[in-house]
Amino acid sequence: MFYQIIVFVLLTAAGFLICRQILKIPKQSMKKNLKNLQTEKEKAGAKLLKIFVMPLVKPVSRFIRIEPEKEVKMAAMLRRGGLVLTPKEYYARAVICAVFTLPLSTLLLAIGAVKLAPVTLIFSVIVYFHFMTDLKDKLKEKKALIEIELPSFVRSILYKLEDVRGSNEKSVVQVDLIQIFEDYLKVSSEVFYYDVAVLIMEMKAKDIETALRNFNERIGLIEVSFLVNALIGLYRGEHQGEALMYLAKDMDIKAKEALRKNLNKLPGKIKLASIPLVVVTLVSLLYVIGSHLIRSVGGLF
């Protein structure tokens, strides 16, 4: 009876993880993310990772092999996602968490449930892919929050451009662009701070156009592409005030629509995800109850 309960718990947990990965169930509501982005409390899972997993990450990461080009690209993505891990440590964390689930098979073998031991292998694979998609989920969430902040970002650029309107000197525009982004960095939210800071650094270290194109590539939004094209034209001495103003209005409308759409779809999405989860739970429960009943009936004859 004991090992059936263990199987029930494992299958239920596996079903929940599969549903969340396939259907992308958010860990928190969008409203809570927007209000508590900087004050999110450390969860119990994060505490367990910090105590049991993180001390092993650095030693294990020495055995991880990644191509240099892929490692550099992934390191930049990890910084954008706010994960204080190197690429090798990121892989090591996923491997360690997956390995920590394997002792469950030893427990099943100890109680005589030999045929059920492979269940833990499936569970470990699910855990591994869960931690390997953590970065992708964080970047996707950050992209959505940046899209909401873009209208205010563009409006701040418009306000600053009022001071240099009528000037056709390329150097003046160039210096003003750098100052615009430095001023915005002082009031930027945490979700947008890294990208703006890197943009300023590249504008000073390289050149304006290259920095803006790299900024566009990092963000990966159509609206940012339009913004970058307008700023490059502005840097070259072209008049882009009307284009930027139209872009600000357009992005403001899209941001409000996207936020309202996400908030409206959230309950339905959770409801949809609960269907396969309930099915997995019921099947597991029926298995446990059925096995117990068969054994009980068998003992009567």
Side-chain angles (χ1 to χ4, degrees):
M1 179 63 183
F2 179 68
Y3 77 86
Q4 284 111 335
I5 296 176
I6 294 177
V7 174
F8 168 70
V9 174
L10 288 176
L11 290 176
T12 302
F16 176 75
L17 290 174
I18 292 173
C19 291
R20 193 168 71 180
Q21 290 301 315
I22 294 176
L23 299 174
K24 301 298 180 184
I25 305 175
K27 296 179 181 180
Q28 296 175 328
S29 67
M30 181 64 74
K31 287 183 177 180
K32 190 173 181 180
N33 280 333
L34 294 176
K35 292 180 180 179
N36 302 322
L37 182 63
Q38 298 179 353
T39 59
E40 184 179 359
K41 294 183 179 180
E42 189 177 19
K43 299 180 181 179
K47 291 181 180 179
L48 291 175
L49 284 174
K50 186 176 180 180
I51 296 173
F52 297 104
V53 177
M54 298 311 296
L56 301 175
V57 165
K58 194 168 184 178
V60 174
S61 65
R62 298 172 184 174
F63 301 96
I64 304 295
R65 296 291 178 266
I66 308 176
E67 295 180 0
E69 184 178 351
K70 183 179 180 181
E71 186 175 2
V72 172
K73 185 177 181 181
M74 188 174 180
M77 293 174 63
L78 287 168
R79 287 194 294 270
R80 284 200 70 227
L83 295 176
V84 189
L85 293 170
T86 66
K88 291 182 179 180
E89 291 173 349
Y90 182 76
Y91 279 99
R93 185 188 65 166
V95 171
I96 293 171
C97 291
V99 170
F100 274 3
T101 63
L102 295 179
L104 293 174
S105 61
T106 305
L107 178 61
L108 293 175
L109 292 174
I111 61 177
V114 180
K115 295 182 179 180
L116 298 176
V119 174
T120 57
L121 295 177
I122 299 175
F123 186 64
S124 65
V125 172
I126 293 173
V127 170
Y128 174 79
F129 283 105
H130 169 72
F131 283 97
M132 286 304 297
T133 57
D134 187 32
L135 176 60
K136 183 178 179 181
D137 293 338
K138 287 183 179 295
L139 291 177
K140 186 176 180 180
E141 181 181 1
K142 183 176 182 178
K143 186 176 181 179
L145 294 174
I146 287 177
E147 190 172 8
I148 296 174
E149 189 174 340
L150 276 176
S152 62
F153 178 63
V154 175
R155 280 194 294 269
S156 68
I157 295 176
L158 290 174
Y159 296 150
K160 291 293 182 179
L161 288 177
E162 293 292 332
D163 298 333
V164 293
R165 178 169 293 181
S167 175
N168 294 323
E169 295 182 16
K170 186 175 181 181
S171 60
V172 173
V173 178
Q174 177 179 343
V175 173
D176 189 73
L177 279 178
I178 296 176
Q179 187 62 48
I180 286 172
F181 295 123
E182 287 180 338
D183 291 341
Y184 185 80
L185 194 62
K186 298 176 183 178
V187 297
S188 174
S189 68
E190 183 180 351
V191 72
F192 208 14
Y193 188 92
Y194 172 82
D195 295 293
V196 178
V198 172
L199 172 62
I200 295 172
M201 181 185 67
E202 291 187 345
M203 290 174 77
K204 293 179 177 179
K206 300 179 181 179
D207 62 88
I208 300 296
E209 294 190 23
T210 301
L212 288 171
R213 290 193 178 95
N214 291 340
F215 177 74
N216 179 32
E217 185 177 353
R218 282 194 303 273
I219 303 298
L221 291 170
I222 297 177
E223 292 82 358
V224 173
S225 180
F226 291 146
L227 172 62
V228 165
N229 290 334
L231 292 178
I232 290 176
L234 183 67
Y235 169 70
R236 294 175 177 175
E238 301 172 4
H239 178 70
Q240 297 290 336
E242 294 181 1
L244 287 170
M245 189 168 294
Y246 174 81
L247 181 60
K249 293 180 180 179
D250 184 60
M251 285 193 299
D252 199 6
I253 295 174
K254 288 184 178 180
K256 291 179 181 178
E257 291 179 352
L259 181 59
R260 183 170 58 251
K261 186 177 179 180
N262 288 333
L263 293 176
N264 290 337
K265 280 189 173 183
L266 191 57
K269 193 174 185 180
I270 295 177
K271 184 178 179 180
L272 178 64
S274 66
I275 296 175
L277 180 59
V278 170
V279 172
V280 173
T281 304
L282 287 177
V283 171
S284 304
L285 183 60
L286 290 174
Y287 171 77
V288 175
I289 295 175
S291 300
H292 181 68
L293 288 176
I294 292 173
R295 287 190 176 188
S296 300
V297 174
L300 296 177
F301 298 96

